[in-house]
Amino acid sequence: MSSVEPGGAVDVKGTYEVRTYGCQMNVHDSERLSGLLEDAGYVRAPEGSDGDADVVVFNTCAVRENADNKLYGNLGRLAPMKTKRPGMQIAVGGCLAQKDRDTIVKKAPWVDVVFGTHNIGKLPVLLERARVQEEAQVEIAESLEAFPSTLPTRRESAYAAWVSISVGCNNTCTFCIVPALRGKEEDRRPGDILAEVEALVAEGVSEITLLGQNVNAYGSDLGDREAFSKLLRACGEIEGLERVRFTSPHPRDFTDDVIAAMAETPNVMPQLHMPLQSGSDPILKAMRRSYRQERFLGIIEKVRAAIPHAAISTDIIVGFPGETEEDFQQTMHAVREARFANAFTFQYSKRPGTPAAEMEGQIPKEVVQDRYMRLVALQEEISWEENKKQVGRTLEVMVAEGEGRKDGATHRLSGRAPDNRLVHFTKPDVEVRPGDVVTVEITYAAPHHLLAEGAVSAGAVRRTRAGDAWEKRNAAPAQPQGVMLGIPGLGVPAPLPAATGGCGVPSS
């Protein structure tokens, strides 16, 4: 036990580690869990501690067929470590905890706390109660106790942040268990969202990603069908906010007013992630998706007419129960027509607790694998062709932290173009910080990234308030950081995790 004084005495209870599985929503929740633990007096364990912390939290996902096996395997590896380390605590939260509840403690009795998706704010209290009472605490709320944005948050990035605008989902897709675990959609009031964005911008954040299970259904809980487009336009009025993104929308709710707001609001980026899931109308019906191929491609056409340089990505499931070769060819046709910049493709596997898991016509693994490989090959070809169209263009790249694994060896830096394409560029002779903006000319295209190999002059580098914020954070001595209540402290919104879409499955 020790104490430090970042503005006031803080009793340090020990170290913590949060392990996150699944979707963007879970990543965002983990930032809140980190903020809660730091607010309670814990400090983050060093990178690579691998369970060597006083508190280890698993923020779980329930949508994979083997999600529970993965969890119990990881818990099993921590059991001997806990035996050797008196006072160590293990907590399990997230969607799998919401689903399995008491089962977790029965299978892994060395777990101290189990909490659900609706009561993440209770974690510090439950840890303390487990310590005092010396027995496991299992507390699963059936509905949201408080909107997560009221909780303290530890943001990983000084320049980019998620902002949650809603939780839950009103859809009933047969492959998805999310509504059962996250509940019905609940929308935040626009004023609360904008106040959070303004506070983030005041701290130096220059890019925000609006986040929701079905982000463009925002307003259904407020009785305003145009609430999402209004929110986008309102974000355009916030001085200092350079980039606005959102994920993941649903084609059903993607209306013309949203397209107009995207096209007419300068800081809303020319990027769209629109989940297709399947190009076959019969399969879309079996999935309980409320659109058909023609409607989906019509949206893409309208977006491209309004925003010619928009990069559009998607999620696709291959091998859904009952999918025939003809159905699969309809998906291939839709991919050829839509010409996605990239696609997150998934082989269907049974998700426990979903209607699709009980459907007849489950497709043999080898058939699913064959279709998957053909789809990936087609999309790789299209991605490369679409990226080649970027060669010769001059783009403003926001410098990112940790995006280019080979940057040190290649003497490059990496960042994201306005359309979210990954760009590697020659390192300028002047200092460039994450959050700064560099203007480069694209010289080469690969399927998954762009290169700007020419020299970058000092005049092409724009130092930003976001870069200042990054520099200030990284210059500070290592110590527990105070986290402002009501301002989520989140990390850099990933461009879209390759293994997941909205909520750990292909996005809704």
Side-chain angles (χ1 to χ4, degrees):
M1 301 278 285
S2 61
S3 64
V4 294
E5 298 185 357
V10 174
D11 185 33
V12 177
K13 294 182 177 180
T15 58
Y16 77 89
E17 176 188 350
V18 178
R19 300 187 186 183
T20 309
Y21 304 90
C23 65
Q24 299 99 323
M25 193 69 73
N26 267 18
V27 173
H28 197 21
D29 283 348
S30 287
E31 292 192 327
R32 302 197 187 287
L33 293 170
S34 296
L36 284 160
L37 290 169
E38 293 192 4
D39 204 49
Y42 293 90
V43 296
R44 175 175 284 191
E47 291 292 329
S49 58
D50 194 26
D52 188 19
D54 296 298
V55 172
V56 179
V57 183
F58 291 86
N59 189 9
T60 64
C61 172
V63 300
R64 296 296 179 195
E65 190 172 14
N66 63 347
D68 53 348
N69 292 334
K70 179 180 289 188
L71 171 65
Y72 295 120
N74 287 325
L75 289 175
R77 283 189 283 275
L78 286 187
M81 193 177 296
K82 188 177 181 187
T83 301
K84 297 176 184 177
R85 186 169 183 160
M88 178 182 179
Q89 291 185 295
I90 300 172
V92 179
C95 289
L96 190 62
Q98 186 79 21
K99 183 172 79 74
D100 285 0
R101 308 182 180 218
D102 296 320
T103 304
I104 292 172
V105 174
K106 290 177 182 176
K107 289 186 175 181
W110 55 93
V111 169
D112 299 277
V113 171
V114 178
F115 62 101
T117 58
H118 298 308
N119 64 332
I120 64 175
K122 288 289 187 66
L123 176 60
V125 172
L126 294 172
L127 287 169
E128 183 65 14
R129 191 186 300 164
R131 185 186 66 79
V132 172
Q133 298 182 7
E134 297 184 342
E135 64 179 11
Q137 302 295 309
V138 179
E139 187 170 309
I140 305 292
E142 296 301 330
S143 59
L144 194 66
E145 294 185 346
F147 203 91
S149 289
T150 62
L151 301 175
T153 310
R154 184 194 194 280
R155 292 191 184 273
E156 301 299 332
S157 169
Y159 56 90
W162 306 100
V163 173
S164 186
I165 70 171
S166 65
V167 294
C169 180
N170 294 335
N171 294 323
T172 57
C173 301
T174 55
F175 56 78
C176 185
I177 198 171
V178 170
L181 302 180
R182 291 277 182 178
K184 293 293 185 181
E185 180 177 325
E186 294 189 39
D187 295 334
R188 292 177 69 191
R189 293 190 176 278
D192 293 341
I193 297 169
L194 295 171
E196 180 181 338
V197 175
E198 289 171 350
L200 288 167
V201 172
E203 291 182 350
V205 168
S206 60
E207 176 177 317
I208 61 108
T209 300
L210 303 175
L211 182 64
Q213 229 77 55
N214 183 7
V215 69
N216 62 322
Y218 177 75
S220 62
D221 189 41
L222 303 174
D224 184 355
R225 293 177 61 86
E226 295 189 354
F228 185 63
S229 62
K230 292 174 183 175
L231 183 63
L232 290 178
R233 292 183 186 276
C235 286
E237 300 297 321
I238 297 176
E239 186 175 354
L241 179 58
E242 296 195 19
R243 295 186 173 190
V244 178
R245 306 186 191 277
F246 57 89
T247 195
S248 287
H250 192 294
R252 181 195 66 189
D253 302 299
F254 210 84
T255 48
D256 290 349
D257 61 296
V258 174
I259 297 173
M262 291 178 66
E264 296 166 10
T265 309
N267 64 355
V268 174
M269 294 295 95
Q271 174 224 343
L272 174 64
H273 184 76
M274 179 76 82
L276 170 64
Q277 308 302 13
S278 174
S280 162
D281 288 355
I283 295 299
L284 288 170
K285 182 178 180 180
M287 288 178 168
R288 289 188 198 152
R289 303 289 285 180
S290 53
Y291 55 89
R292 299 296 178 259
Q293 183 191 113
E294 184 178 5
R295 156 79 171 149
F296 184 93
L297 294 177
I299 293 171
I300 301 301
E301 185 177 355
K302 286 183 179 180
V303 170
R304 290 225 165 92
I307 314 167
H309 288 299
I312 302 173
S313 56
T314 197
D315 295 326
I316 300 173
I317 300 173
V318 175
F320 189 82
E323 181 186 76
T324 64
E325 178 63 23
E326 183 180 350
D327 292 322
F328 175 68
Q329 288 301 326
Q330 283 300 307
T331 295
M332 297 284 273
H333 171 73
V335 169
R336 293 187 187 97
E337 291 294 309
R339 300 199 62 79
F340 299 112
N342 56 74
F344 302 103
T345 52
F346 303 81
Q347 296 185 46
Y348 174 79
S349 62
K350 292 183 179 180
R351 271 95 167 143
T354 64
E358 308 301 324
M359 287 181 176
E360 296 181 356
Q362 301 288 328
I363 310 298
K365 176 67 177 176
E366 61 273 16
V367 175
V368 177
Q369 176 70 17
D370 174 69
R371 291 175 184 170
Y372 174 79
M373 295 305 295
R374 283 187 279 158
L375 176 60
V376 168
L378 173 62
Q379 183 55 52
E380 286 278 302
E381 178 185 329
I382 293 172
S383 294
W384 200 356
E385 289 172 356
E386 291 302 305
N387 275 1
K388 287 176 182 176
K389 296 177 182 178
Q390 306 300 310
V391 173
R393 291 190 65 198
T394 299
L395 302 175
E396 282 197 336
V397 176
M398 181 177 288
V399 182
E401 187 173 24
E403 289 266 29
R405 292 191 300 269
K406 300 178 182 178
D407 282 351
T410 57
H411 198 62
R412 291 174 179 147
L413 295 176
S414 298
R416 294 280 166 178
D419 64 9
N420 212 35
R421 283 182 165 93
L422 177 62
V423 180
H424 305 300
F425 60 94
T426 303
K427 188 175 182 180
D429 292 332
V430 297
E431 179 191 26
V432 179
R433 308 157 303 176
D436 287 341
V437 174
V438 180
T439 302
V440 301
E441 182 178 336
I442 303 304
T443 58
Y444 175 81
H448 302 293
H449 68 266
L450 304 172
L451 287 182
E453 299 168 297
V456 179
S457 68
V461 176
R462 176 164 62 86
R463 293 172 68 85
T464 65
R465 291 172 60 255
D468 294 342
W470 180 90
E471 187 172 20
K472 181 179 178 181
R473 171 180 289 193
N474 285 271
Q479 61 182 23
Q481 298 179 1
V483 185
M484 295 182 66
L485 290 174
I487 300 179
L490 160 66
V492 185
L496 279 167
T500 63
C503 218
V505 293
S507 307
S508 15

